[in-house]
Amino acid sequence: MNKVVPSSNGLERMIRQQVMDRGISDPRVLSALRIVPRDRFFPSESAGEAYADRAAPIGHGQTISQPYMVALMSERLDVQPTHRVLEIGTGSGYQTAVLAQLAAEVFSVERVKPLLDDAFNRLMDLNIRNVHFRHGDGTVGWPEAAPFDRVLIAAGAPNLPENLLRSQLIDGGLAVLPVGPEDDQMLVVVRRDGMKLHTTDVCPCRFVKLIGQEGWEAEKK
Ligand code: SAH
């Protein structure tokens, strides 16, 4: 575990009501949520929003994911302490910080440079040092560091990014990601079995768009 920060009442209530009461019980995930101070991932003027049961804007048209969704994705990814994890869509860095408690190393890619810089600074301030950051299109993976035990994609892909998953996941590895049209996505768990990909639906969800080579096209300005 990284640096231990005492959890506030708001955080504890968030974990009980939004996470445990909805069926998340993995003790390692719950302990990671207790360790990472979610309010530090919000601008000071909206830190009061940190424990609300929803996603929240972080600028650049992006959002920090809902606490339950971070917990659910972390649990379904079944991250073990020896694992190297590829995360696509750093955003605020909150999910990254949670993964950093669960894995040996996290490789996180973000296409919006100012978001990546802020996330980097937050994780440095929290003394979380097992994360590698990269600016760019995560749908092309991180070839020099591949293959990964786990892949988490925090933005909605139009279709399953098959090339990415086959090239970046170890055989037997798992990925969790939202797939589908912008307003009708499904959170799925994918298991790589040789060159086959087995997909299991988890629940409907709504994420911002995954933009890139194996995602949506960037909107023209
Ligand atoms: N889990 C994050 C939320 C991420 S929002 C949190 O809790 O803060 C999704 C992020 O994915 C956005 O910041 C968006 O810019 C980023 N993104 C979208 N497409 C991407 C791509 N192809 N590569 C890297 N990042 C991408």
Side-chain angles (χ1 to χ4, degrees), residues 67-136:
Y68 172 69
M69 200 42 81
V70 172
L72 180 64
M73 291 177 93
S74 304
E75 185 175 70
R76 293 305 172 101
L77 202 55
D78 187 26
V79 183
Q80 298 302 317
T82 55
H83 282 170
R84 297 163 72 253
V85 180
L86 175 65
E87 180 191 39
I88 300 173
T90 317
S92 68
Y94 177 65
Q95 171 82 72
T96 320
V98 170
L99 288 173
Q101 310 305 313
L102 299 169
E105 280 182 291
V106 181
F107 295 75
S108 188
V109 189
E110 170 58 57
R111 63 185 289 276
V112 179
K113 184 71 165 58
L115 290 179
L116 185 75
D117 291 344
D118 286 352
F120 173 84
N121 289 327
R122 288 187 187 111
L123 268 63
M124 288 301 115
D125 284 350
L126 292 169
N127 202 26
I128 295 173
R129 294 293 149 89
N130 57 338
V131 179
H132 309 265
F133 294 91
R134 174 174 281 190
H135 174 224

Side-chain angles (χ1 to χ4, degrees), residues 27-43:
R28 296 186 62 241
V29 170
L30 297 174
S31 132
L33 295 175
R34 289 200 170 93
I35 287 168
V36 179
R38 184 168 161 95
D39 56 321
R40 297 276 287 273
F41 294 79
F42 283 70

Side-chain angles (χ1 to χ4, degrees), residues 62-65 88-93 95 109-112 115 136-139 154-155 208-211:
Q62 309 303 324
T63 53
I64 176 170
S65 308
I88 300 173
T90 317
S92 68
Q95 171 82 72
V109 189
E110 170 58 57
R111 63 185 289 276
V112 179
L115 290 179
D137 174 10
T139 71
V208 297
K209 281 181 175 178
L210 179 72
I211 295 171

